[in-house]
Amino acid sequence: MRHFILPFVIIGLAGCGSSPPEEAPSQQPVTAGAPTYTPVRFEDMAGWAEDRHAESIPALIGSCGRLAQLPSETQLGEGDSPITRAAGTAGQWRELCRAAAALPAGNNLAAKAFYERYFTPIRIAAGAQQTGLLTGYFEPELRGSRTRTETYTFPLYRRPPDLRQVEAGTTLTDEQGRALTAGRAGRRGEPLTPYPTRYEIESGALHGKNLELAYVSSMVEAFMLQIQGSGRVRLDDGRVMRVGFSGSNGRPYVAIGRTLVERGDIPRDQISMQSIRNWLDRHPGQGESLMMENPSYVFFREMTDLSDDLGAPGAFGVPLSPGRSMAVDNSYIPLGVPVFVDTTDPVDATPWRRLLQAQDTGSAIRGVIRGDIFYGWTSDSAARAGRMRNQGSLTVLVPRATAQAAL
């Protein structure tokens, strides 16, 4: 789901932990059953030998860079589960991270041998369930301008200075009594008040406050960018502005995909990012009204010094790698570990088996066997992310040095 990239989800309620809201893709309940973690052999993992292992090493090195910033005793993962103990501490990753950095670039055999030497694969299950829901997300690219023009009239707003998170132990509710996560700060000592809704913001509640970060050509594009949480704005001079999530107005999220299904406008089995976008484009008047039913509104910040060939940072604080990074439920899978994914391609249904790095989270990404694959930012990435909603299995790789004592 930060400055974090969000997972794109289609039907339920969602916003990758520290991320904004997003639409939920699941047509089934969250994976149920107690988690089980079973060591397996690399040679028994279908598709392992065929992966291009060297392509996963830069993403792993990115995770290693983050681990190097942490105190040595910092535990990967949450709680005291077997997989958390097996993942070890930041200090216990130092040796294998040095070995990864020393690998010859592009050498698949050396990369494969490295993983097999330093890691133990652990198959994840939920009770009797061996597979779970895998979805996809991407980083959209829009055309836009830093200033308002005849073409670009819809603003992307910076985080307002009076926006505050609701502190733990306090409660703020909207007009219907629903809990809010953020509000507007008043004078010192005064309680927070609800922040304007999407409708109020689109109607001018923030005009004149000098919060405009950039402008895009349509309300639909701005809305979709808020669902994703980060993206690229290609300016008229050819330069690209990278924008990332900087907060929301704290209002509850209403998934318009669910509304379209409930109203019969889009059949449930056809709901996707593309079908939602197409419906909004075909019904501009109704579409604007529908978007206003979602009171949640996302604010952005400009992100500088990001490589053009990487995505925005995920929840682990590492720039995401197309096809090699994923969001997970870090209650069950520690951030920073490699995860071998066995699923099918959303376009041609061929086997898709690849080693990814757990580097992101998302509030819609919940369950033992649940993942959201980062596809990148191209038109092909958008097509795959929007269609991805397949079953698959997950096998976590943990350091061999810590796995034996924990499992």
Side-chain angles (χ1 to χ4, degrees):
M1 70 167 27
R2 341 153 173 338
H3 39 257
F4 306 134
I5 286 259
L6 302 188
F8 175 79
V9 285
I10 302 166
I11 295 198
L13 174 70
C16 279
S18 35
S19 69
E22 67 240 26
E23 305 219 17
S26 175
Q27 296 185 32
Q28 61 184 55
V30 171
T31 301
T36 59
Y37 304 99
T38 306
V40 296
R41 301 186 305 172
F42 282 104
E43 55 265 35
D44 293 333
M45 294 162 53
W48 168 257
E50 290 72 40
D51 191 13
R52 298 184 295 273
H53 299 83
E55 294 180 5
S56 71
I57 295 298
L60 173 64
I61 291 175
S63 291
C64 285
R66 173 61 181 146
L67 292 171
Q69 299 171 357
L70 302 176
S72 294
E73 66 276 11
T74 303
Q75 181 74 53
L76 277 71
E78 298 181 345
D80 190 34
S81 69
I83 198 67
T84 297
R85 294 193 297 273
T89 64
Q92 291 172 318
W93 282 67
R94 302 284 194 257
E95 179 185 350
L96 68 84
C97 283
R98 286 193 292 268
L103 288 170
N107 189 320
N108 287 313
L109 289 177
K112 178 175 178 289
F114 158 78
Y115 283 116
E116 293 175 354
R117 174 183 177 184
Y118 283 97
F119 289 93
T120 294
I122 308 295
R123 178 66 50 81
I124 299 177
Q129 192 169 345
Q130 300 293 315
T131 63
L133 179 65
L134 299 178
T135 49
Y137 64 114
F138 75 107
E139 186 177 0
E141 181 171 295
L142 296 70
R143 295 303 299 258
S145 171
R146 290 185 182 272
T147 59
R148 183 185 176 96
T149 70
E150 291 185 1
T151 301
Y152 306 116
T153 60
F154 294 91
L156 306 177
Y157 284 119
R158 297 179 179 87
R159 181 189 179 101
D162 60 352
L163 180 67
R164 299 285 188 276
Q165 297 302 117
V166 175
E167 295 181 0
T170 63
T171 302
L172 179 65
T173 59
D174 66 7
E175 298 78 4
Q176 287 76 46
R178 297 174 296 186
L180 305 181
T181 60
R184 169 174 275 166
R187 296 178 181 176
R188 181 172 297 180
E190 292 183 350
L192 296 180
T193 57
Y195 219 80
T197 63
R198 174 179 297 277
Y199 175 80
E200 292 167 335
I201 292 173
E202 296 288 5
S203 298
L206 299 181
H207 286 180
K209 298 184 181 296
N210 196 31
L211 294 173
E212 293 83 359
L213 180 65
Y215 294 84
V216 296
S217 60
S218 84
M219 185 182 293
V220 172
E221 287 190 339
F223 184 86
M224 289 297 183
L225 182 62
Q226 291 186 37
I227 291 176
Q228 290 298 128
S230 68
R232 301 169 182 232
V233 179
R234 185 166 295 277
L235 307 173
D236 285 342
D237 62 7
R239 289 182 293 178
V240 175
M241 174 192 291
R242 305 288 292 276
V243 297
F245 176 76
S246 188
S248 81
N249 61 352
R251 297 277 182 166
Y253 189 82
V254 174
I256 65 170
R258 172 173 294 183
T259 302
L260 289 169
V261 169
E262 291 174 347
R263 294 191 331 197
D265 291 310
I266 300 178
R268 177 176 289 273
D269 61 358
Q270 295 179 24
I271 196 73
S272 69
M273 180 193 66
Q274 288 90 346
S275 65
I276 294 172
R277 174 63 185 268
N278 290 341
W279 190 93
L280 292 173
D281 287 339
R282 292 196 315 271
H283 304 84
Q286 296 179 61
E288 182 173 332
S289 298
L290 178 63
M291 287 186 286
M292 296 309 144
E293 292 183 19
N294 173 23
S296 177
Y297 195 93
V298 168
F299 303 107
F300 295 97
R301 67 183 183 91
E302 184 173 1
M303 299 183 294
T304 57
D305 300 326
L306 290 180
S307 172
D308 287 346
D309 61 355
L310 290 173
F316 196 50
V318 177
L320 303 175
S321 300
R324 293 294 177 177
S325 296
M326 69 184 300
V328 298
D329 184 343
N330 61 337
S331 299
Y332 302 106
I333 298 177
L335 288 178
V337 302
V339 182
F340 189 72
V341 175
D342 185 351
T343 185
T344 52
D345 187 275
V347 174
D348 59 19
T350 57
W352 197 91
R353 295 160 174 157
R354 191 174 296 187
L355 185 62
L356 284 72
Q357 301 294 321
Q359 295 175 325
D360 209 355
T361 60
S363 65
I365 312 306
R366 291 289 179 263
V368 181
I369 315 172
R370 180 72 175 93
D372 206 37
I373 299 166
F374 177 64
Y375 280 96
W377 47 86
T378 65
S379 57
D380 180 71
S381 302
R384 280 181 155 74
R387 297 177 186 177
M388 182 61 183
R389 195 162 69 250
N390 296 336
Q391 290 289 301
S393 66
L394 302 177
T395 302
V396 176
L397 271 57
V398 295
R400 186 177 297 275
T402 56
Q404 289 183 339
L407 296 168

